[in-house]
Amino acid sequence: MQKVRTLYLHQHPEQIKFTNHFRNLYSTRNSSSTIDFNRHLNDLSKGGNIDDARHLFDKMPHRDEFSWNIMLAAYANSGRLMEANQLFHQAPLKSSITWSSLISGYCKHGCEIEAFELYRKMKFEGYRPNQYTLGSLLRLCSRTGLIRRGEQIHGYAIKIKLDCNDFVATSLIDMYAKCEYILEAECVFEMVRDKKNHATWTAMLGGYSHNGDGLKAMEFFRDLRIAGVEANQFTFPSILTVCGGVSALYFGIQVHNCVILCGFGANIFVQSSLVDMYAKCGSLDSAKRVLREMDVDDVISWNSIIVGCARLGFQEEALSLFHQMHMRGMKVDEYSYPSVLNCFAGMKDVENAKSIHSLIVKAGFAAYKLVNNALVDMYAKQGELDCAFMVFKQMPEKDVISWTSLITGCSYNGSHEEAVKLFCNMRNVGVFLDQIALASVLSACAELTVMEFGQQVHAIIVKSGLGSSLSVDNSLLTMYAKCGSIEDASCVFDSMRTRDVISWTALIVGFAQNGRGKDSLRFYDRMIVTGIKPDFITFIGLLFACSHTGLVEDGRRYFESMDKEYGIKPGPQHYACMIDLFGRSGKLAEAKELLKQMVVEPDATVWKSLLAACRTHRELELGEIAANNLFELEPNNSMPYILLSNMYSVAGRWEDAARIRRSMKAKGISKEPGYSWTEWNSKVHVFMSEDRNHPMMNEIYSNIDEIIRLIKEAGYVADMNFALHDMDREGKELGLAYHSEKLAISFGLLTVPKGAPIRIFKNLRVCGDCHTAMKYISKVYLRHIILRDSNCFHHFRNGECSCRDYW
């Protein structure tokens, strides 16, 4: 007895309390019925004291069906499904409630297979599912998008005449709406008998909200009020979310009035939705006023207003609010940090961003996927790709957003090859591709001009069945245009369901760069007819098209229409295009006059256009002025030094040319090496002048000798003006023969099948001699050669080029 007493004294106080409670209950068992036990069992289970409930359950002198159902439901609802399943099989008596309790537990915790298997067995053994059974299964369908299962349950509900039950009908509406079958949800709603049931109305309202039909949702809320249905703490957040989503501020204000009239002005969920609605509608003062009136500091509301400030460009205010959250001792959650990090993405403040990163680690959020995704995105937008990769590699779990943020960041910061590699790795690990990732990798393909890989991405888009988006279509169109396949770009454009100014501009610029300036102008006219207004970039494409087609008067007209018709002030790029237009047409006096009339300060682009025009027309004096301005604006750029040196060389002023080159050397300015590349057999082959590193170099050089012989017979004469070293004619000819463009075309003729175009790309402008040689090669070998240099595309066919031979 002493040993028993000692053990009892060492029990935990809660255990002592429970033991005394059970003794009292047990001692009165003669006067207490099983109902008393069940009542206490129910209280314990609902209070979350599952183990105490089980202890009482095991000690009960008599257990009825209700006792078993209470204990089973307690295990199932708390997620202890294995114990719930064991108790289910031990139960001496089972009813529909017993089956429904276990099914409900499986549904609640996402065990789809187990839930539907148990549902099947329940019906097989002759038990009839009730409205709660069907409601639980339908909620599972709505969460997981199991529309076919949901339709089967709907059919069974009709069979057993439960389809008009308010609970089942509400669940059906929610299921159809969440699965984006809004018409079916409306049909179910119309069949509901009790038209005053606010739960059904709220489900339908939430369905419209979920499907993005803001106008229908607002009309439905109006009908709800007319029908006299009382809105509650669930109805108001749904309609306020809709108002925020479509920026319907005035309707949201009216809903706010209804909130106050209905007595829900102090409800924290409604208040939080009001803050979110006002913030999304851009009414930050109203959002702050609601926030101040809240009795408790709700982190969700603070997050909403921080996001609203960041979205409207008030980054400093958003950070100040975040600081206030810390000062008030609020428990910042994993949704707070992404909002703050998004502010830094637009502020370019790396040091403070890293301080927030440290705070994230200290607060224990370093393993949260949502926070890590925001960190990757923030660092990538800041241009800190090393930090973005570091966070990405340390993430315990990565999703499509993680990969897409890094791919987009690499593409945005010019690391296009890295973006393509990441995309391939993303595919290899089996991550589901989204449209943002596809658009980003297509942009990288466009910049790298790897059309073969871009075509593979296009095939992935078609095979995936994702359906296209405007951003993906625009990226696809741009990729083909920048890779010189304007026909494929046109096909993409023609197949697009919707088009915006970016779509039209991409094709206008694409036609211009590919030597089809008149098509650019034609498409511009079509765009205006459709009602789409041109933007800043559209006019750059138009003026570029005019300059490369020699359409001086059209160029003047478009340039004047920018401000007069569309209120677009010309920028340096537009002036550069006009100077280029005048320069190509030999109107240097007009180019010089336009330079004086500029309302903005001439930048490097303008002076480069003037210098190129001076080089073409050998206006050395004006060229010196342009070059000297470039020396000041871009002191480390080799381009003006090279062009001026070339102009001196052409003029026979070798000493001045040497002086410019000595000046370059003294200042440590090195010329960007010229190189050409072509894509073949899923690999990029790069060539430099007089390069002998390629595995096929012997065949390439032998082929060049044959090419030069054949095109000379056709009339080609090497242009010594582009042999800029003071050497004998034979040495100059050899130097010209082994330019990187000619090495690339020799490789293309050896590898690319007849009938297929040979695509070559160069980082610098193609030299005039190579340009002439390409025309003869296209004629002698009957090949379509596409060469893209730093200026535009050159399409060589039958001895002609799409450009205007501007050298």
Side-chain angles (χ1 to χ4, degrees):
M1 185 68 184
Q2 183 64 33
K3 184 176 179 181
V4 173
R5 184 176 296 143
T6 303
L7 288 172
Y8 176 76
L9 291 173
H10 281 86
Q11 283 182 309
H12 190 274
E14 289 295 326
Q15 291 176 313
I16 296 172
K17 179 180 176 182
F18 173 76
T19 305
N20 289 335
H21 167 78
F22 180 75
R23 279 183 173 177
N24 292 335
L25 185 63
Y26 190 82
S27 63
T28 59
R29 64 182 181 275
N30 292 328
S31 59
S32 298
S33 66
T34 304
I35 295 173
D36 295 314
F37 279 99
N38 286 341
R39 178 168 50 81
H40 287 288
L41 184 66
N42 193 43
D43 291 342
L44 287 170
S45 64
K46 286 187 175 179
N49 301 310
I50 309 297
D51 293 329
D52 288 346
R54 181 58 190 262
H55 192 49
L56 174 60
F57 178 81
D58 290 339
K59 298 293 183 182
M60 286 174 66
H62 177 70
R63 291 174 298 211
D64 60 10
E65 182 185 326
F66 191 58
S67 314
W68 286 89
N69 288 342
I70 291 172
M71 197 66 240
L72 176 61
Y75 277 135
N77 289 331
S78 63
R80 294 166 66 168
L81 299 174
M82 186 177 294
E83 291 158 296
N85 193 49
Q86 290 174 350
L87 205 64
F88 175 81
H89 289 291
Q90 293 170 6
L93 294 172
K94 295 183 181 72
S95 65
S96 294
I97 297 173
T98 315
W99 286 86
S100 295
S101 296
L102 187 57
I103 290 171
S104 178
Y106 281 129
C107 291
K108 183 179 179 181
H109 295 92
C111 300
E112 168 197 334
I113 297 173
E114 292 85 350
F116 281 103
E117 177 60 21
L118 200 63
Y119 170 65
R120 185 190 66 78
K121 287 182 178 178
M122 178 184 183
K123 292 193 294 180
F124 181 77
E125 295 190 18
Y127 294 93
R128 176 173 170 166
N130 57 28
Q131 64 264 38
Y132 303 109
T133 317
L134 301 183
S136 298
L137 289 165
L138 288 168
R139 282 195 296 273
L140 176 63
C141 293
S142 70
R143 287 199 310 270
T144 54
L146 298 172
I147 182 63
R148 297 293 168 254
R149 291 276 196 181
E151 288 175 329
Q152 291 170 7
I153 294 168
H154 189 180
Y156 183 74
I158 294 171
K159 182 180 178 181
I160 62 173
K161 297 182 172 23
L162 275 179
D163 56 311
C164 292
N165 176 274
D166 290 343
F167 187 79
V168 174
T170 302
S171 300
L172 281 168
I173 292 167
D174 181 67
M175 184 273 297
Y176 279 124
K178 293 279 178 63
C179 292
E180 299 182 359
Y181 279 63
I182 196 67
L183 293 177
E184 286 78 358
E186 288 176 335
C187 289
V188 174
F189 177 80
E190 291 300 323
M191 295 177 68
V192 173
R193 293 170 184 168
D194 184 4
K195 293 299 182 182
K196 297 282 186 179
N197 188 319
H198 64 79
T200 312
W201 282 81
T202 301
M204 194 66 237
L205 180 63
Y208 287 126
S209 174
H210 178 80
N211 284 269
D213 196 341
L215 181 62
K216 200 70 177 282
M218 289 188 286
E219 290 176 350
F220 190 79
F221 182 77
R222 181 202 59 197
D223 294 342
L224 176 150
R225 298 282 296 167
I226 293 171
V229 179
E230 291 186 7
N232 60 13
Q233 68 269 30
F234 304 108
T235 314
F236 287 120
S238 292
I239 189 60
L240 288 169
T241 299
V242 169
C243 294
V246 296
S247 298
L249 177 60
Y250 294 112
F251 195 89
I253 293 170
Q254 294 176 48
V255 175
H256 191 173
N257 291 332
C258 294
V259 166
I260 295 168
L261 290 172
C262 294
F264 288 97
N267 183 280
I268 188 171
F269 300 110
V270 177
Q271 286 177 321
S272 180
S273 298
L274 282 166
V275 172
D276 183 64
M277 182 274 294
Y278 280 124
K280 285 180 178 175
C281 291
S283 182
L284 293 179
D285 290 338
S286 298
K288 290 175 187 174
R289 186 173 64 251
V290 176
L291 190 69
R292 286 193 298 268
E293 292 171 356
M294 293 179 72
D295 294 330
V296 294
D297 282 329
D298 176 51
V299 68
I300 297 173
S301 303
W302 281 80
N303 288 345
S304 296
I305 201 165
I306 288 172
V307 170
C309 289
R311 185 184 291 113
L312 294 170
F314 301 115
Q315 284 89 357
E316 295 288 348
E317 189 167 356
L319 294 175
S320 174
L321 286 165
F322 180 73
H323 179 68
Q324 289 179 45
M325 288 179 72
H326 274 278
M327 296 297 292
R328 296 165 80 106
M330 294 178 64
K331 187 178 179 181
V332 179
D333 63 13
E334 69 269 28
Y335 300 100
S336 307
Y337 288 109
S339 305
V340 176
L341 291 169
N342 189 45
C343 295
F344 286 109
M347 289 177 65
K348 303 294 182 185
D349 187 353
V350 180
E351 293 305 316
N352 281 322
K354 288 182 177 179
S355 298
I356 296 294
H357 190 176
S358 300
L359 188 63
I360 287 168
V361 175
K362 289 178 183 177
F365 289 102
Y368 281 70
K369 185 165 59 179
L370 187 67
V371 176
N372 280 320
N373 285 344
L375 278 168
V376 171
D377 182 65
M378 181 273 296
Y379 279 129
K381 287 178 179 175
Q382 292 267 14
E384 298 287 327
L385 288 181
D386 289 341
C387 295
F389 271 99
M390 178 194 70
V391 174
F392 181 80
K393 289 176 181 176
Q394 292 176 355
M395 289 178 68
E397 184 184 356
K398 304 175 182 72
D399 61 7
V400 63
I401 298 173
S402 321
W403 286 91
T404 300
S405 297
L406 199 55
I407 290 170
T408 305
C410 288
S411 182
Y412 178 79
N413 287 283
S415 297
H416 304 298
E417 290 185 23
E418 198 65 51
V420 171
K421 289 178 184 176
L422 280 167
F423 180 81
C424 293
N425 292 338
M426 181 181 178
R427 290 263 297 156
N428 290 337
V429 298
V431 176
F432 180 79
L433 299 171
D434 68 359
Q435 293 173 336
I436 299 173
L438 292 166
S440 296
V441 77
L442 284 169
S443 297
C445 291
E447 296 304 320
L448 292 171
T449 59
V450 285
M451 194 173 97
E452 189 176 327
F453 188 84
Q455 288 173 321
Q456 293 174 24
V457 176
H458 191 176
I460 291 169
I461 295 169
V462 174
K463 289 179 181 178
S464 67
L466 279 171
S468 198
S469 69
L470 186 58
S471 62
V472 172
D473 284 339
N474 285 341
S475 297
L476 197 58
L477 192 162
T478 303
M479 183 275 294
Y480 280 122
K482 286 192 173 183
C483 289
S485 184
I486 196 66
E487 293 80 8
D488 287 323
S490 298
C491 288
V492 172
F493 182 87
D494 292 337
S495 67
M496 291 172 68
R497 294 180 181 176
T498 57
R499 306 180 183 109
D500 60 6
V501 67
I502 298 172
S503 319
W504 287 91
T505 298
L507 202 57
I508 288 168
V509 173
F511 277 125
Q513 289 182 331
N514 282 273
R516 292 171 58 176
K518 291 183 178 178
D519 285 326
S520 289
L521 274 56
R522 181 169 56 84
F523 263 81
Y524 173 76
D525 292 337
R526 279 182 57 189
M527 182 183 82
I528 298 302
V529 169
T530 61
I532 294 178
K533 292 183 179 180
D535 64 8
F536 191 90
I537 307 297
T538 310
F539 281 105
I540 293 176
L542 270 179
L543 296 175
F544 184 92
C546 291
S547 70
H548 283 249
T549 317
L551 302 173
V552 178
E553 295 307 317
D554 286 310
R556 280 200 186 100
R557 179 164 53 86
Y558 290 130
F559 185 75
E560 291 172 0
S561 72
M562 287 179 63
D563 193 9
K564 288 182 181 178
E565 295 184 28
Y566 301 104
I568 300 172
K569 300 293 181 183
Q573 300 97 319
H574 302 102
Y575 282 103
C577 287
M578 288 302 295
I579 288 171
D580 186 60
L581 170 60
F582 290 137
R584 285 173 177 266
S585 303
K587 301 178 183 294
L588 281 181
E590 292 189 45
K592 194 173 180 180
E593 185 62 29
L594 181 63
L595 190 66
K596 293 178 182 177
Q597 295 174 2
M598 283 183 65
V599 294
V600 294
E601 192 68 25
D603 67 358
T605 311
V606 175
W607 291 113
K608 284 175 186 176
S609 295
L610 184 61
L611 182 57
C614 291
R615 180 183 184 275
T616 300
H617 299 288
R618 302 186 181 183
E619 289 284 343
L620 190 54
E621 184 179 347
L622 187 56
E624 287 175 325
I625 295 172
N628 287 327
N629 277 283
L630 284 168
F631 294 158
E632 293 181 10
L633 290 170
E634 295 183 348
N636 296 318
N637 186 358
S638 64
M639 177 265 190
Y641 292 92
I642 300 300
L643 282 185
L644 186 59
S645 174
N646 291 351
M647 290 173 71
Y648 283 136
S649 299
V650 170
R653 293 169 57 175
W654 299 104
E655 290 184 6
D656 287 328
R659 175 175 55 81
I660 294 294
R661 292 185 181 274
R662 283 197 301 271
S663 176
M664 277 182 65
K665 188 175 181 181
K667 294 176 181 178
I669 301 169
S670 58
K671 177 187 175 184
E672 181 184 0
Y675 57 89
S676 301
W677 70 95
T678 185
E679 188 183 11
W680 178 70
N681 201 20
S682 299
K683 185 178 179 182
V684 176
H685 299 261
V686 183
F687 302 91
M688 300 184 72
S689 292
E690 302 184 25
D691 190 356
R692 295 186 180 271
N693 293 322
H694 196 278
M696 292 177 60
M697 197 48 66
N698 290 334
E699 297 97 312
I700 290 170
Y701 270 78
S702 296
N703 197 36
I704 282 181
D705 294 338
E706 177 67 10
I707 291 169
I708 298 297
R709 184 183 68 78
L710 290 174
I711 63 176
K712 277 185 175 180
E713 290 177 2
Y716 162 76
V717 178
D719 190 342
M720 296 304 164
N721 289 324
F722 294 92
L724 301 174
H725 296 289
D726 192 11
M727 36 195 326
D728 60 25
R729 183 176 181 84
E730 185 178 352
K732 289 181 178 180
E733 281 197 13
L734 282 174
L736 290 171
Y738 301 142
H739 277 191
S740 64
E741 301 97 312
K742 293 190 180 78
L743 296 177
I745 193 64
S746 176
F747 174 77
L749 289 169
L750 289 169
T751 56
V752 178
K754 288 183 178 181
I758 300 172
R759 301 177 187 275
I760 300 168
F761 305 91
K762 185 170 182 179
N763 64 323
L764 304 178
R765 194 172 183 185
V766 62
C767 90
D769 177 73
C770 287
H771 187 271
T772 302
M774 293 287 180
K775 290 199 292 186
Y776 279 100
I777 293 168
S778 70
K779 183 177 181 179
V780 170
Y781 287 86
L782 301 176
R783 300 298 294 266
H784 177 199
I785 301 169
I786 304 170
L787 170 64
R788 197 198 83 173
D789 63 7
S790 61
N791 190 41
C792 66
F793 276 96
H794 305 266
H795 290 259
F796 300 95
R797 287 190 180 95
N798 301 318
E800 299 292 335
C801 180
S802 57
C803 76
R804 295 179 59 224
D805 298 353
Y806 181 47
W807 276 274

